[in-house]
Amino acid sequence: MGENLKVVRDATCTFCGCVCDDMHLTVDLDQKRIMKAENACILGKAWFREHGIEERPLALIGGRTATTEEAVEAAAQILAQARFPLIYGLSDTTCEAQRVAVAIADMIGGTVDTTTSVCHGPSGIAFEGVGESTASLGEIKNRADLVVFWGGNPAEAHPRLFSRYAVTPKGMFIPNGRKDRTVVLVDVRRTPSTPAADIFIQVKPRSDFEVLWALRALVKGRKVDPSIERRTGVSLAVLEDLVARMKSCRFGVFLFGMGLTMNRGRHFNSGALLALATDLNEFTHWVAKPVRGHGNVTGADNVVSWQTGFPFGVNFSRGYPRFNPGEFTSVDLLTRREADAALIIASDPADNFPKAAIEHLRRIPVITLDPKATPTTQLAQVAFTTATYGINVSGTVYRMDDVPITLRPAFESPYPSDEQVLTAIRDRVRALLGGNRLPAGAPVAAAS
Amino acid sequence: MGSPLRIVNGRVYDPANGVNGAVQDVCVRDGKIVADVPPDAKRIDAAGMVVMPGGIDIHCHIAGPKVNLARKVQPETHQDDVQLRTRLTRSGTGGTVPSTFATGYRYATLGYTTAMEAAVTPLGARHTLEEFHDTPVLDKGFFVLVGNNLLLYRLLQEGRREELRHALAWWLKVTKAYAPKLVNPGGDEMWKGQRNANITSLDDKIGSFDLTPRRVIAAFIEAGNELGLPHPVHIHCNNLGHSGNVETTLETMRLAEGRRAHIAHIQFHSYGAAAGKSQSNPTSRARDIIEYINTHPNISADVGAVMFGPATIMTGDAPLAYMLRRFGGNKWVNADTENESGCGIVPFRYQDRVYTNALQWAIGLELLLLSEDPWRMVFSTDHPNGGSFMSYPRLIRLLMDRGYRKEQMAHVNQKALDRSALRDCQEREYSLSEIAIITRAGPARLLGLTDKGHLGVGADADVTIYEEDEDKEKMFSAPRYVIKDGELIIEDHELRADHQGRLLHVAPDYDPQIEQVIEPFFEDFYTIRFANYPVDDRYVPNGQIIPTTPSVAAAPATAGTRT
Ligand code: SF4
Ligand SMILES: [Zn+2]
C-alpha cells in the first residue's frame, strides 16, 4: 500500500441500478487503486476493486495503437459517411455523455438505442400502455409494509435493495424495520433471495401472466376457478390470501425484475403487473417499480426521452425522432443487416447479442468507447479507452427510481471521459457535414 | 450577444414605461436595451408591426421528472407532431408535452423568451436543470415544492418558525429554485400515508401530523415574505377542481392578511356548487374571486384558462390526478417522492359539449374579462393542464375579439354558460396594451424580474415583433422577429440561430446552524446522502441570481455576537 492515501466520502457505486451514494472510499493515489469501499455490498466491493488503471493504449485503429485525436478523426469519418448508423449502449456512462450521444444521432440522422431494449424494454412499452404508480426508494423505506418481489433475485443482483431500501431499513412510518414489513417473493424457482421472504410463491415457468391476471380478477371481486393451480402451480387459497394482504396493507410495493419482463408474455407481463398496482389503489396505496440493472440505464431512458419524446429505439433518418421497437432496436437493426456503422458506448453487445447480430457487427465499421477490452472492442475498427464513470469521472447518474445523483470520482485517469470523446467526435462530424445533416427532400426553409 | 440593432417604425407597447402604441425606436446592444446605437447599426424596419417585450410564462410545466414521465407515457401524441432538425437546430417531437428542444423553439416562435416551470420536487431539481440545459432560447426558473415536506412539517408542528424560515431558505438555495411552491398542502401526505385520502378543508388534520393546511399555508406565506423573495409563495390551493372550492380559495387568500401571495391557475379554484340534486356540478364563482382580488392588492393570480382540445394533467396534487383518471382514458401515472411530494399524470381532453369543461372554459374568460387590474390577474393555461402553450394565440383572440368570442360561445354547452357570467361580459375587448401586461409586464412584475417585461434602457433585450393583423390568433401565432439577449433568433418567422438562455434563481441567506437540524433527518429518512443533495454550480452554466430583500436577519443573534 502506498503512502498517498485519500478518503472520498459519500461516493457512489454505479455497478447496479441501486446507485448507492454512501460509499466511503479509501484510495491509494500512487497505485491508483481503491483499497476499501465502506458500505459497499459484495458486488460493489468487486466493482471498486477491479477498476484500477490498466496499461492500455489510448485508442486503437484497426488494431494499431493511435492517439485519441487520430481516433476521433477516424470515428468522425466513419459516422459522417455512414447512411444508417447505429449508436448503442449508454447505460454505463453519465447523462452528460448520453446527451452528446443523442445529439450525434440527431445530427447524422442515425438511430440511438440503449440497453433498455434488451432488458426492461417491455416495461417501458407497458408503461406507455397503462402508465404506472411508482415511488422513490425512500418512500418504500419509510412507508412500505407489504413488499412483493416478482421475478428477481435481489440478494445476488441488487443486494442493498434489501438492506438499504426495501426490506430491513427502519423508516419514518416503519419504526421497527423488518418487523413492520411483510415480504413476499414470487418466482419460478428458489434462489438465495427466497429466505428473505415471509411468503414464497413459486409459479410454474411461463405462467406469470396468468397469475397476475387471476390476482386482478380477485382484486376486482371476480371468481377465479380453482383450476388455476394446475396451470400456474399456485393454489386459489394462496392467491386469495395474497389479495387480502394486498388490499389491507397501508403502502404496498411491487419490485419486479427481468424474470418477469424477459419471459413469455414480455410487455404483457409488465403491463399486467402495473395494472394490478393501479387497481389496488382503489383500496390502499400501491406502487410498482422495475428493478433496473445497469448503473445509469435509468438516466439513458430519461435523456433519450427528454430529447426525443421516446425512451429507446429512436431513429432520426427522416429529420425527426421516430420510435419503433422491433424496427429501430439494435438487435433487430443488426440482425436484418441494416446498420452500416455502429458507435457503441460502454456496452458489450458482441458478448450478449444473438449470433446473427454479432455477425453483422463484424461486417460493419464499429467504434467503441470502453474502459476495458471486451469482445466488442476487439472487433472494433476504432476503439477508445475511456475513464470509468464514478471512479475517475464525475457526472450525473439516475437511480432506478429516477433520482439523479452527482458522482464523486476517486482518482484521476490518464484516459479521457466518454463525454470528452463524444464531444470531440460530435464537433468533428459537424465540421465535416457543415452542420446537421438534412434528410433528402427536406423543406428548403429548414436548410437556412 | 449579436451586433447592435435599431428597430424603427414599429408601434411600441411597453406598458411598464407608459408607452402605448407610440411609433418610436428601440435600440439594442450587448444583450440590453440601450438609449441609442451608432447610425450604421443594423436596422429592422417594423412598419406595420407591433413591438413588445418578449413573452413571460409565469406558470407552466416544461421540464423535470413529472414532465418527462408525461412525455414517455404519450408516444402516440409525438409521432404526428414533429419538429424537424435544421442545419443549426435540433429535432424533437410535440404533442401537449413536447421534447425539450421543441419546447424551447416553439415558445420562441410564439414570441416567448422566459418561462417558469411551476412544480419541481427538490430531489428532482438536478433533473430539471439538466432538461433546462437542453431547452433552448428561453430564460427559465422553477418553483420548488415545499408544501408537503415532512421535515418542514415537523419544524412547524413544534412551533419552530425561525428554523422553518431558515430551512426554507436552505431548500431554495441548494436546489437553485426561483420560488417556493405549495401544492394542495397536506394532500400528498394524506394520499401517501392515509390510503389515498385527500384534504377536504383548511382545517383537516394532516395525517399523523398535528397540523392543518391552514397552519401550513399561513406559515409559508409569512416565511416567504420575511425572506423578501422576488416572487412570494406560489400557491396551488386545496380542493382543486371540486365543486364549491371557491370557499377554500377565498379562505386561503385571507390567510395572507395583507402579505404577498400568488394563487396559481385560479380558474380551477373558482367553483361553486349547484343547489339541489345536481350538487356535484360546479357553477362559476368567478365574480367572488375577482371581487376579492380587485380589493386586495397583496394578492396576485394567474388565470389557468382551459382551452378545448388535448391537454395533459400533470401535477404535484396526486389525489387530484387520481380523481381525474376516471375521465382521462386508461393511462394514469403516480410518482411519490420521499418526504417531499406526490405527483400525478393523466392524458386529458377538454370537450366543448361537456358541461364541466365548458364551464371551466367560461370561467377562465370570465376572470380575465372581469379583472380590473391586469397586472395582478395574468395569463396562463397552466400548460399543459388547461391546454398547450401552443393555444395561447387563440386565447388572446378570445380576449381581443368579441365577435369571435361570441361565435365560440355558440358552440359550447349552453347549460354551462347559464351557470357562468360570461354572457354579462360580452362587451369587453382587451387592448394590445392590456395583452402586453398580462403576457409580459405583469408576469415580470409579479416575479420580481426588474430587467424583464419592459423595453426601458437597461432591460434585457428580449423583444418580439408581430405583424399587425385583424386576426389576432394569426398575429400572435408567428412573430416576424424575436430577439433574445440582443440576438436575432427569429427572422421572417423562422428560427435563424440557436441560443442558450439563463437559469433564474434565488440564493437567500440562512443560518448555517440549520444544517445541523436538516442533516440528521436525511440520515434517518432520505435515501440520498445529505452531502450529495445540494445541486452544484456545474448544473447552472448560465445562471443569474435574483436578489432577495429580507425583512429579518438571516443569522439569529447569538450570545456574544450582538448586543
Ligand atoms: S447494491 Fe448495487 S449500487 Fe449498491 S453497493 Fe451493491 S452493487 Fe453497488
Ligand atoms: Zn401548474
Side-chain angles (χ1 to χ4, degrees):
Chain A
M1 192 185 286
E3 294 291 292
N4 196 0
L5 292 183
K6 164 173 117 172
V7 173
V8 182
R9 290 187 63 79
D10 302 316
T12 295
C13 175
T14 55
F15 183 73
C16 84
C18 284
V19 189
C20 302
D21 72 332
D22 58 345
M23 306 287 113
H24 303 323
L25 307 178
T26 307
V27 187
D28 184 332
L29 290 175
D30 295 333
Q31 303 265 319
K32 292 199 181 277
R33 286 221 158 268
I34 293 164
M35 313 306 293
K36 200 173 137 203
E38 196 185 319
N39 288 337
C41 73
I42 181 167
L43 301 174
K45 285 200 161 71
W47 160 257
F48 285 113
R49 196 172 49 233
E50 279 162 18
H51 279 86
I53 298 296
E54 290 170 27
E55 283 295 322
R56 290 187 61 209
L58 281 161
L60 293 167
I61 301 176
R64 299 235 299 269
T65 302
T67 65
T68 304
E69 290 69 28
E70 289 162 348
V72 165
E73 181 63 30
Q77 293 290 349
I78 291 170
L79 293 171
Q81 280 159 32
R83 294 174 55 90
F84 208 64
L86 166 67
I87 298 180
Y88 174 75
L90 293 173
S91 54
D92 275 314
T93 189
T94 63
C95 292
E96 287 77 358
Q98 292 163 352
R99 280 158 57 183
V100 184
V102 184
I104 295 173
D106 192 5
M107 180 192 296
I108 60 181
T111 296
V112 66
D113 187 33
T114 76
T115 62
T116 287
S117 73
V118 294
C119 63
H120 266 288
S123 306
I125 294 167
F127 173 83
E128 290 173 348
V130 299
E132 174 182 65
S133 174
T134 191
S136 77
L137 291 169
E139 288 292 16
I140 296 165
K141 161 182 147 134
N142 282 333
R143 299 182 196 267
D145 58 347
L146 179 55
V147 184
V148 181
F149 293 95
W150 200 302
N153 178 10
E156 289 189 310
H158 299 82
R160 295 186 83 218
L161 197 55
F162 283 170
S163 58
R164 189 169 190 232
Y165 303 109
V167 176
T168 50
K170 293 179 180 166
M172 187 177 288
F173 305 102
I174 302 288
N176 306 306
R178 179 67 182 89
K179 279 202 231 78
D180 291 339
R181 306 184 205 264
T182 302
V183 178
V184 179
L185 214 131
V186 185
D187 208 343
V188 294
R189 68 182 75 83
R190 299 188 77 85
T191 67
S193 296
T194 314
D198 300 303
I199 299 170
F200 175 61
I201 300 177
Q202 189 162 359
V203 301
K204 281 189 187 167
R206 303 156 64 82
S207 67
D208 294 281
F209 182 83
E210 286 79 356
V211 175
L212 287 164
W213 220 252
L215 288 170
R216 287 195 74 194
L218 291 170
V219 165
K220 287 186 184 283
R222 307 255 164 78
K223 282 232 162 3
V224 170
D225 194 88
S227 67
I228 185 82
E229 184 169 1
R230 236 180 304 135
R231 174 69 189 86
T232 66
V234 186
S235 74
L236 185 56
V238 167
L239 293 176
E240 280 170 344
D241 172 68
L242 182 59
V243 166
R245 291 172 190 276
M246 292 195 299
K247 282 173 149 180
S248 61
C249 70
R250 290 188 74 85
F251 189 113
V253 55
F254 290 118
L255 292 156
F256 62 104
M258 277 164 49
L260 186 68
T261 62
M262 280 296 150
N263 240 313
R264 170 183 168 270
R266 293 166 61 101
H267 64 271
F268 288 95
N269 295 347
S270 328
L273 183 134
L274 295 178
L276 174 59
T278 294
D279 294 346
L280 284 162
N281 276 286
E282 291 284 336
F283 305 92
T284 186
H285 201 77
W286 265 88
V287 298
K289 174 140 287 312
V291 176
R292 306 301 305 266
H294 296 280
N296 198 23
V297 68
T298 305
D301 283 8
N302 272 297
V303 168
V304 179
S305 293
W306 82 56
Q307 292 206 357
T308 74
F310 309 110
F312 60 93
V314 179
N315 172 271
F316 293 95
S317 59
R318 289 203 186 145
Y320 55 85
R322 284 186 299 159
F323 171 63
N324 200 5
E327 185 178 8
F328 303 130
T329 30
S330 303
V331 170
D332 308 277
L333 276 180
L334 292 170
T335 307
R336 285 196 308 266
R337 306 184 179 197
E338 289 174 353
D340 62 350
L343 168 60
I344 313 248
I345 300 141
S347 181
D348 191 12
D351 180 57
N352 55 38
F353 272 17
K355 206 162 140 244
I358 297 171
E359 271 165 19
H360 189 62
L361 277 176
R362 292 187 194 286
R363 271 183 225 117
I364 60 174
V366 170
I367 304 154
T368 57
L369 277 67
D370 208 297
K372 305 225 166 225
T374 69
T376 310
T377 66
Q378 272 148 21
L379 62 71
Q381 172 66 21
V382 181
F384 292 89
T385 306
T386 51
T388 307
Y389 80 136
I391 300 215
N392 318 118
V393 181
S394 182
T396 314
V397 164
Y398 284 58
R399 220 162 60 180
M400 64 169 83
D401 58 350
D402 291 318
V403 171
I405 290 171
T406 309
L407 302 174
R408 296 174 188 269
F411 58 88
E412 270 184 38
S413 160
Y415 302 106
S417 68
D418 292 336
E419 183 192 2
Q420 286 168 328
V421 170
L422 290 169
T423 304
I425 293 175
R426 181 198 64 193
D427 293 348
R428 184 60 190 137
V429 173
R430 181 184 284 149
L432 288 170
L433 296 177
N436 297 329
R437 172 186 282 155
L438 298 180
V444 181
S448 60
Chain B
M1 291 273 177
S3 43
L5 200 64
R6 179 187 293 273
I7 303 162
V8 298
N9 299 329
R11 288 208 291 136
V12 176
Y13 287 88
D14 181 12
N17 293 306
V19 182
N20 184 10
V23 175
Q24 59 187 53
D25 292 1
V26 175
C27 297
V28 167
R29 176 178 212 153
D30 295 333
K32 294 282 178 184
I33 305 289
V34 293
D36 207 0
V37 286
D40 62 344
K42 181 181 160 97
R43 279 169 178 252
I44 289 179
D45 184 356
M49 301 182 207
V50 159
V51 181
M52 288 187 183
I56 299 174
D57 199 335
I58 195 173
H59 184 119
C60 59
H61 301 276
I62 55 171
K66 70 178 184 323
V67 177
N68 218 25
L69 287 168
R71 272 185 200 110
K72 267 195 267 190
V73 82
Q74 303 182 81
E76 67 280 5
T77 67
H78 302 321
Q79 61 212 26
D80 302 330
D81 180 15
V82 297
Q83 178 89 19
L84 286 166
R85 70 173 169 271
T86 70
R87 283 264 179 242
L88 289 171
T89 59
R90 293 285 303 273
S91 73
T93 54
T96 56
V97 194
S99 63
T100 51
F101 295 103
T103 298
Y105 299 138
R106 288 180 179 195
Y107 260 107
T109 55
L110 293 184
Y112 273 73
T113 51
T114 303
M116 287 289 167
E117 158 58 55
V120 171
T121 56
L123 260 180
R126 215 175 250 113
H127 177 164
T128 305
L129 293 170
E130 285 202 289
E131 287 199 20
F132 275 176
H133 198 269
D134 287 343
T135 307
V137 187
L138 299 172
D139 287 345
K140 301 151 289 253
F142 67 85
F143 306 154
V144 70
L145 294 162
V146 292
N148 282 280
N149 180 308
L150 300 192
L151 173 60
L152 296 174
Y153 276 8
R154 284 190 166 189
L155 295 176
L156 182 59
Q157 174 175 264
E158 291 160 23
R160 297 155 73 179
R161 296 288 278 262
E162 293 264 304
E163 285 163 286
L164 176 79
R165 188 181 69 241
H166 292 303
L168 176 62
W170 180 85
W171 247 295
L172 289 165
K173 191 168 182 172
V174 303
T175 59
K176 301 204 166 10
Y178 194 77
K181 171 84 180 290
L182 306 183
V183 170
N184 185 11
D188 285 332
E189 186 48 32
M190 299 298 288
W191 169 252
K192 295 188 288 191
Q194 306 293 323
R195 300 178 192 275
N196 298 353
N198 196 0
I199 290 290
T200 58
S201 106
L202 287 181
D203 297 306
D204 283 6
K205 184 171 175 301
I206 301 174
S208 56
F209 291 86
D210 184 18
L211 281 178
T212 61
R214 180 186 300 280
R215 263 185 83 193
V216 172
I217 296 165
F220 278 102
I221 290 175
E222 180 180 80
N225 277 268
E226 285 171 350
L227 290 172
L229 302 171
H231 185 60
V233 177
H234 194 100
I235 306 172
H236 159 145
C237 297
N238 300 103
N239 281 331
L240 188 151
H242 291 271
S243 298
N245 64 10
V246 67
E247 302 304 338
T248 307
T249 311
L250 290 166
E251 199 52 20
T252 301
M253 294 193 285
R254 281 182 209 118
L255 287 174
E257 294 180 338
R259 290 167 301 203
R260 283 282 291 114
H262 181 91
I263 309 294
H265 38 69
I266 201 160
Q267 177 278 127
F268 289 105
H269 304 272
S270 303
Y271 308 148
K277 264 209 325 274
S278 49
Q279 230 178 27
S280 62
N281 267 351
T283 62
S284 170
R285 294 282 298 276
R287 272 183 193 288
D288 304 77
I289 292 289
I290 278 296
E291 210 162 281
Y292 189 91
I293 293 181
N294 283 344
T295 53
H296 290 80
N298 61 312
I299 301 291
S300 59
D302 60 271
V303 69
V306 151
M307 300 297 283
F308 299 120
T312 301
I313 306 301
M314 70 162 86
T315 174
D317 190 340
L320 166 76
Y322 187 69
M323 180 186 84
L324 291 175
R325 152 182 170 268
R326 281 185 283 144
F327 310 103
N330 45 20
K331 298 187 200 183
W332 167 64
V333 176
N334 170 73
D336 308 332
T337 301
E338 61 209 66
N339 309 312
E340 296 181 348
S341 183
C343 163
I345 298 161
V346 181
F348 201 78
R349 175 175 286 274
Y350 294 97
Q351 300 170 59
D352 52 13
R353 304 283 155 161
V354 172
Y355 173 89
T356 305
N357 298 168
L359 186 84
Q360 293 175 305
W361 177 83
I363 294 175
L365 294 174
E366 250 186 279
L367 288 163
L368 286 164
L369 294 170
L370 291 170
S371 162
E372 286 169 15
D373 186 353
W375 295 91
R376 290 189 293 114
M377 175 61 76
V378 301
F379 193 90
S380 77
T381 63
D382 189 13
H383 159 83
N385 284 280
S388 161
F389 66 83
M390 296 301 282
S391 63
Y392 291 174
R394 201 175 335 132
L395 179 52
I396 290 175
R397 185 175 182 197
L398 284 165
L399 297 173
M400 294 193 73
D401 180 345
R402 63 183 168 220
Y404 174 69
R405 188 163 69 229
K406 209 166 165 191
E407 215 178 278
Q408 298 300 305
M409 283 166 66
H411 297 301
V412 314
N413 183 305
Q414 297 298 305
K415 279 203 185 90
L417 286 192
D418 296 343
R419 293 275 169 81
S420 86
L422 188 56
R423 293 203 185 95
D424 304 341
C425 20
Q426 293 275 35
E427 287 308 301
R428 183 163 179 196
E429 287 185 334
Y430 267 64
S431 65
L432 279 170
S433 180
E434 285 172 316
I435 293 295
I437 296 172
I438 63 173
T439 60
R440 284 111 163 118
R445 187 175 288 180
L446 298 180
L447 289 166
L449 292 168
T450 52
D451 293 345
K452 292 195 183 294
H454 71 101
L455 298 173
V457 169
D460 291 343
D462 300 348
V463 188
T464 304
I465 305 174
Y466 298 101
E467 288 165 324
E468 292 202 57
D469 199 307
E470 269 308 299
D471 180 342
K472 300 301 182 225
E473 180 173 354
K474 193 168 152 228
M475 173 175 168
F476 282 94
S477 290
R480 176 78 174 263
Y481 303 98
V482 176
I483 295 156
K484 176 79 193 71
D485 291 320
E487 202 182 326
L488 202 50
I489 301 293
I490 287 178
E491 193 174 0
D492 295 335
H493 312 287
E494 276 170 17
L495 282 168
R496 288 297 156 90
D498 212 339
H499 183 82
Q500 181 65 45
R502 290 188 293 276
L503 176 81
L504 309 171
H505 64 110
V506 296
D509 287 329
Y510 53 84
D511 178 359
Q513 289 293 323
I514 196 66
E515 295 189 356
Q516 313 293 318
V517 176
I518 300 172
E519 182 165 2
F521 185 89
F522 269 72
E523 297 278 330
D524 290 344
F525 304 126
Y526 271 90
T527 52
I528 170 170
R529 297 283 295 166
F530 181 69
N532 288 332
Y533 189 79
V535 177
D536 68 61
D537 288 338
R538 285 176 295 175
Y539 291 86
V540 189
N542 202 3
Q544 182 183 352
I545 294 176
I546 306 298
T548 55
T549 48
S551 60
V552 288
T558 47
T561 59
R562 308 249 175 104
T563 50

